Amino acid sequence: MPATPKNASQDSRAQPNAELGQSNSLPAKPYLRGRFAPSPSGPLHFGSLVAAVGSYLIAKYYGAEWQVRIEDIDPPREIEGAADTILRQLEAFGLHWDGPIIYQSESIPRFNEILEELKQQDLLYACDCTRKKINKLSEDGRYPNICQDKNLSFDGEVAWKLRHRQDDYHFYDQIQGQCEFETSLYREDFTVKRKDGLMAYQLAVVVDDINAGIDHVVRGIDLLDSTPRQLRLYQVLGKPAPLWYHLPLAINDDGNKLSKQNHAPSIDSQNPSKQLHQAIAFLGQKPPVALRQEAPEIIIDWAVEHFSLESIPRQQQIPYFD
């Protein structure tokens, strides 16, 4: 689960950090481009369907493009054929993307260019710490920046860390309200290239969103505490941050997030209308019961026409019962 914000305003609109490009006003129609970015580690389940539907509805309500990006830069976690399965599932549920499919692996040369630029600016350092060592030295499990002055070589089995400047990377979320976190999160230097040589999520997602012109990021609230790190990356790359929308998570009977790791069942592409209706209702949109009998495209059309951002629950978790 995500870290709980120190302050998450449940009132109308709190003033965000203007320096980091945040806005507390709803965007005027239209904005440019949103996206859904699944990893090919298995088929979509109900939780990922909620994220896909939420990002699609917000994009289409504002007259924007909706891009699909396959985040295929972690081969050990990928399942053969999963990317194609995900795309067929989206089509079956009436979620049709704009433009070509983006594959994150094609951006690896660009990621390396960015890393070299950050290294030249002395914004990166190498770290050879193990998780066991970090846990021994840290009471809260956060990395205590112990390698920042060691001048270790970037060669070999080391993680590349970005210096996380002592700013307050609070932000305004268009669903959850004003979000501020414990100081330890703002002070923790974080990984942009892993020990195994693979690109870290934080770097890859920000660079890809910048390259694609993504100006509205809609995703699950389990990624809420990734946002301060990503704001730091927007800062060092000199780019304006997008608007943020963090959706509540679907949880199972045991109180755990629906996820591939928790063996959440795949959505049913042969009979999509019921679960599509459930996903829209999960987002607080109150679709008529009769819509369950309609084709996915009709359900989606209704949801776009009647969409209300204010109706999305400001919660971290919502139980899902099939």
Side-chain angles (χ1 to χ4, degrees), residues 22-311:
Q22 303 303 290
S23 171
N24 67 344
S25 59
L26 296 178
K29 295 183 182 181
Y31 72 77
L32 295 177
R33 188 172 295 117
R35 50 75 165 172
F36 175 58
S39 61
S41 54
L44 300 181
H45 51 77
F46 183 78
S48 45
L49 177 64
V50 167
V53 170
S55 63
Y56 183 92
L57 293 182
I58 290 172
K60 294 306 174 182
Y61 177 76
Y62 290 113
E65 294 180 359
W66 186 68
Q67 183 185 88
V68 171
R69 181 173 73 227
I70 302 295
E71 299 198 332
D72 58 339
I73 58 168
D74 193 354
R77 295 182 59 243
E78 294 169 17
I79 295 177
E80 186 177 357
D84 287 339
T85 297
I86 289 169
L87 296 178
R88 301 293 80 78
Q89 288 177 314
L90 292 174
E91 290 181 323
F93 279 75
L95 299 170
H96 303 294
W97 54 87
D98 299 300
I101 299 296
I102 306 299
Y103 290 89
Q104 195 167 57
S105 57
E106 296 175 355
S107 297
I108 289 176
R110 179 59 179 154
F111 300 153
N112 283 316
E113 289 177 3
I114 294 291
L115 287 172
E116 289 302 319
E117 292 171 6
L118 296 177
K119 193 198 306 185
Q120 292 301 315
Q121 298 173 53
D122 194 32
L123 290 169
L124 303 182
Y125 62 87
C127 169
D128 61 0
C129 295
T130 62
R131 172 49 59 184
K132 182 178 180 180
K133 181 178 180 180
I134 293 171
N135 289 337
K136 184 178 179 179
L137 295 173
S138 173
E139 293 183 358
D140 59 6
R142 298 199 185 281
Y143 175 63
N145 305 345
I146 54 179
C147 291
Q148 60 181 336
D149 298 319
K150 290 184 178 180
N151 295 317
L152 299 175
S153 171
F154 286 96
D155 297 325
E157 193 173 329
V158 293
W160 295 22
K161 298 283 187 178
L162 176 70
R163 302 181 192 276
H164 205 336
R165 199 175 77 180
Q166 305 297 304
D167 285 350
D168 288 332
Y169 295 94
H170 61 273
F171 63 95
Y172 184 82
D173 187 89
Q174 300 294 328
I175 296 171
Q176 303 298 329
Q178 184 74 6
C179 296
E180 299 179 15
F181 295 82
E182 296 298 334
T183 305
S184 60
L185 179 63
Y186 298 139
R187 293 178 176 172
E188 181 188 27
D189 296 340
F190 58 93
T191 299
V192 289
K193 187 176 182 181
R194 294 166 23 179
K195 277 188 175 183
D196 58 9
L198 297 177
M199 298 298 160
Y201 164 78
Q202 309 292 1
L203 178 87
V205 70
V206 168
V207 173
D208 272 345
D209 282 347
I210 290 172
N211 290 346
I214 302 298
D215 53 3
H216 287 56
V217 170
V218 183
R219 58 192 184 187
I221 204 170
D222 53 327
L223 292 170
L224 189 74
D225 58 2
S226 286
T227 312
R229 298 181 176 96
Q230 292 170 16
L231 286 170
R232 172 59 173 157
L233 280 162
Y234 279 101
Q235 186 182 59
V236 300
L237 295 174
K239 301 295 183 181
L243 294 180
W244 309 97
Y245 301 71
H246 285 87
L247 304 169
L249 296 180
I251 58 173
N252 59 23
D253 295 343
D254 298 325
N256 295 316
K257 179 186 78 167
L258 295 185
S259 67
K260 297 165 188 175
Q261 291 83 356
N262 291 331
H263 309 291
S266 172
I267 53 177
D268 184 1
S269 297
Q270 300 304 311
N271 299 285
S273 294
K274 176 185 174 183
Q275 284 189 307
L276 180 58
H277 186 280
Q278 289 175 325
I280 293 168
F282 184 92
L283 292 169
Q285 302 304 298
K286 297 181 175 56
V289 174
L291 271 181
R292 292 181 185 177
Q293 311 303 320
E294 300 292 348
E297 284 76 10
I298 293 177
I299 300 174
I300 288 291
D301 286 347
W302 180 93
V304 172
E305 182 179 353
H306 296 86
F307 178 72
S308 167
L309 181 67
E310 292 76 12
S311 295

